[in-house]
Amino acid sequence: MGGIYDTILNDPALATQMRRAQNRTDYRNKPAKPKERKTTMPRRGTKELETLSERKWGELTPGERRSVRNWMKRTHDDDTELDLETADLLEHNQHISIARAYAIVHNITTEPAEPEPTAPEPAAEPEPTADTLQALADENNIQWLDEWPDDATTAHRRIGRWQKVADALRRTGRPAVICDGLNRKGSLALARAINEGRTGTWQPKGAYRAGVRDGDHPQVIAQYVGGTVS
């Protein structure tokens, strides 16, 4: 038996193969390391996400940014283009919140709705009889009133910030600085949206004019001039 081991030890090639075989055997016999369990962060509630969406982007931690960005994207029907435009705006404007960034980008990129064709006024119908009124009430499960009640509250359309700005410019006709919180790229995009009348707020096209004045912070200047541009 000793003769075999002497032969192996005296043959470098056989000795190397023997050591490799031994190493493979030792590797197989090593106990497997226990897998580390991944810990998951608790999900943030809607109230917390709403609060984070109103804070300045530069104040949020990377984890808070991921959570609130995913939440904002879900609330806007997973609009990837809107999400990317907002992320680009926040990258250069850390002092604004993601909620404000979404409002700015949405106002710039939203396409104007097609105007509805004007329908001819219907001919006046004869006053319905009592039997007709009763039949309509029974069919639709409604109750007719003799007149409009004084205590009924009218539900008005919510007016956004830019609509209020546009109304103020229309009432005075004077130029004004309407935004100085964007970088030059965002300021130019907002000015183009106003000049082109991309949304109902600034329509008809040519009713408002806008430009950008450079300085320490770019300023968007706008004015109501009336009229339309073909």
Side-chain angles (χ1 to χ4, degrees):
M1 195 69 180
I4 296 176
Y5 280 102
D6 290 340
T7 302
I8 293 174
L9 292 175
N10 293 327
D11 190 328
L14 292 176
T16 301
Q17 291 179 7
M18 184 175 180
R19 285 195 297 272
R20 288 176 179 175
Q22 183 64 36
N23 290 337
R24 286 196 295 269
T25 303
D26 294 343
Y27 175 78
R28 295 192 192 99
N29 294 333
K30 288 183 180 179
K33 293 183 179 179
K35 294 184 178 180
E36 296 182 359
R37 297 182 59 184
K38 296 183 178 179
T39 58
T40 57
M41 297 295 292
R43 297 188 62 181
R44 304 179 191 274
T46 302
K47 190 67 177 177
E48 182 182 1
L49 290 168
E50 289 178 351
T51 301
L52 292 175
S53 70
E54 298 293 340
R55 287 177 54 189
K56 295 180 180 179
W57 189 249
E59 297 177 352
L60 303 182
T61 65
E64 290 172 338
R65 290 184 179 185
R66 285 193 299 271
S67 296
V68 73
R69 182 177 173 184
N70 291 335
W71 177 71
M72 288 292 292
K73 185 178 179 182
R74 289 196 303 272
T75 58
H76 288 79
D77 299 325
D78 289 325
D79 191 331
T80 302
E81 182 177 355
L82 184 61
D83 170 66
L84 294 176
E85 290 286 343
T86 303
D88 181 64
L89 178 61
L90 288 171
E91 183 179 353
H92 301 91
N93 298 275
Q94 300 277 314
H95 60 285
I96 66 176
S97 66
I98 190 173
R100 184 181 177 192
Y102 255 89
I104 293 172
V105 174
H106 187 270
N107 182 75
I108 294 173
T109 59
T110 301
E111 293 294 331
E114 292 292 334
E116 296 182 0
T118 304
E121 295 184 3
E125 297 183 0
E127 188 72 20
T129 64
D131 291 340
T132 300
L133 290 174
Q134 186 61 49
L136 289 172
D138 294 340
E139 180 182 351
N140 298 283
N141 193 26
I142 60 177
Q143 178 184 359
W144 297 111
L145 301 176
D146 294 331
E147 59 184 10
W148 186 268
D150 295 333
D151 58 349
T153 302
T154 302
H156 296 286
R157 179 175 63 88
R158 291 184 62 185
I159 299 178
R161 174 180 180 272
W162 292 120
Q163 185 61 57
K164 293 180 180 179
V165 170
D167 291 343
L169 295 175
R170 183 184 291 269
R171 290 181 58 186
T172 63
R174 299 182 60 180
V177 177
I178 65 170
C179 183
D180 61 355
L182 298 176
N183 58 12
R184 180 169 176 77
K185 179 181 177 181
S187 299
L188 289 172
L190 177 57
R192 282 195 297 268
I194 296 172
N195 290 327
E196 296 172 7
R198 293 183 186 175
T199 65
T201 300
W202 308 110
Q203 290 179 355
K205 181 180 179 180
Y208 296 86
R209 66 176 177 180
V212 176
R213 182 169 63 183
D214 293 319
D216 294 337
H217 300 285
Q219 295 178 328
V220 180
I221 315 297
Q223 182 181 18
Y224 174 74
V225 294
T228 59
V229 175
S230 59

